[in-house]
Amino acid sequence: MLSTKLSKYSIILASNSPRRQELIKSLDIPFTIKTKEVEEIYPQELHQTEITDFLANLKATPFKKELKENELLITSDTIVWINNKALGKPKNYDEAFQMLKKLSNTTHEVITSICITNKLFQKTVNDTTIVSFRELLDDEIDYYIKTYKPFDKAGAYGIQEWIGKIGITKIEGSYFNVMGFPIHKLYKELSKL
């Protein structure tokens, strides 16, 4: 459906995330993957959607000068928000363990922003999903980290993986947003073009 509407555009996804690539593929639109290194640092006074909006926009910055008029760039960022703090991707086993201990037996927000950039415009949208975990045992956390190595995931977990299946008791909002891409919002924005 969308592919006809977007036929005049070349779509570029600036993400190495297999989940984001899989989700955009499900829209049945052709796209290419191009990535550039960006240091994901944001001003400390930012909160929640301000952080993900800032970072999704930041990821588009190195592409801006070279974008052609018929190209649409899609960048994205996800954080886990708990106790007024953002959890990004863990750097190692210990960080992942601490993050999952923090999420155990609590409710948190998963926030993702998508930035659509063209030579003539830039639009950023975001989505928030509320996720609740049951109490996670230390050996469950240990097994999950050692088996699934969630070092490329905000909050050190993937909802679609083992820990999500055995630990998540409730979600309010988009499941795909927790995977790192509120695909319904992307579809809506691309449909408007």
Side-chain angles (χ1 to χ4, degrees):
M1 246 181 89
L2 259 187
S3 58
T4 314
K5 205 170 225 184
L6 298 173
S7 59
K8 67 176 180 179
Y9 291 110
S10 289
I11 294 167
I12 301 163
L13 176 66
S15 175
N16 284 319
S17 161
R19 277 103 33 216
R20 288 190 182 131
Q21 293 169 16
E22 179 193 324
L23 287 169
I24 197 170
K25 216 175 267 176
S26 69
L27 290 181
D28 299 330
I29 52 173
F31 66 97
T32 53
I33 296 159
K34 275 188 204 167
T35 57
K36 290 181 187 281
E37 276 301 307
V38 174
E39 214 175 341
E40 296 181 28
I41 295 171
Y42 57 87
Q44 287 309 295
E45 67 273 10
L46 299 184
H47 287 81
Q48 295 161 293
T49 56
E50 295 169 340
I51 296 170
T52 52
D53 283 1
F54 179 89
L55 291 173
N57 280 279
L58 184 70
K59 289 174 182 180
T61 307
F63 291 91
K64 280 185 179 171
K65 283 191 178 112
E66 62 194 52
L67 274 182
K68 297 182 179 82
E69 273 186 37
N70 70 325
E71 289 180 323
L72 275 184
L73 177 73
I74 297 167
T75 51
S76 189
D77 193 76
T78 301
I79 59 164
V80 164
W81 185 259
I82 184 166
N83 300 331
N84 271 331
K85 281 205 173 72
L87 301 183
K89 298 168 188 165
K91 291 181 183 73
N92 52 42
Y93 173 93
D94 291 336
E95 256 188 35
F97 197 93
Q98 287 314 309
M99 284 183 183
L100 288 166
K101 282 297 277 184
K102 226 177 242 163
L103 299 178
S104 173
N105 206 28
T106 62
T107 296
H108 62 272
E109 293 178 345
V110 178
I111 304 164
T112 303
S113 293
I114 296 172
C115 178
I116 301 167
T117 307
N118 176 268
K119 213 168 179 59
L120 307 170
F121 68 87
Q122 188 168 47
K123 173 91 190 269
T124 306
V125 292
N126 55 57
D127 201 42
T128 301
T129 304
I130 298 164
V131 181
S132 300
F133 267 104
R134 67 160 173 79
E135 189 169 354
L136 300 169
L137 304 175
D138 286 1
D139 62 349
E140 291 170 335
I141 294 172
D142 175 70
Y143 169 79
Y144 173 67
I145 297 168
K146 285 178 177 165
T147 309
Y148 290 87
K149 300 176 177 39
F151 307 115
D152 65 335
K153 296 175 179 74
Y157 79 92
I159 190 171
Q160 71 283 8
E161 293 178 341
W162 182 82
I163 199 90
K165 291 170 182 146
I166 65 109
I168 291 173
T169 56
K170 187 179 179 188
I171 84 160
E172 292 171 60
S174 165
Y175 173 89
F176 299 111
N177 184 50
V178 186
M179 274 178 76
F181 222 25
I183 201 73
H184 64 290
K185 291 251 168 117
L186 178 61
Y187 178 82
K188 188 178 170 188
E189 291 309 316
L190 292 176
S191 299
K192 290 178 187 172
L193 295 175

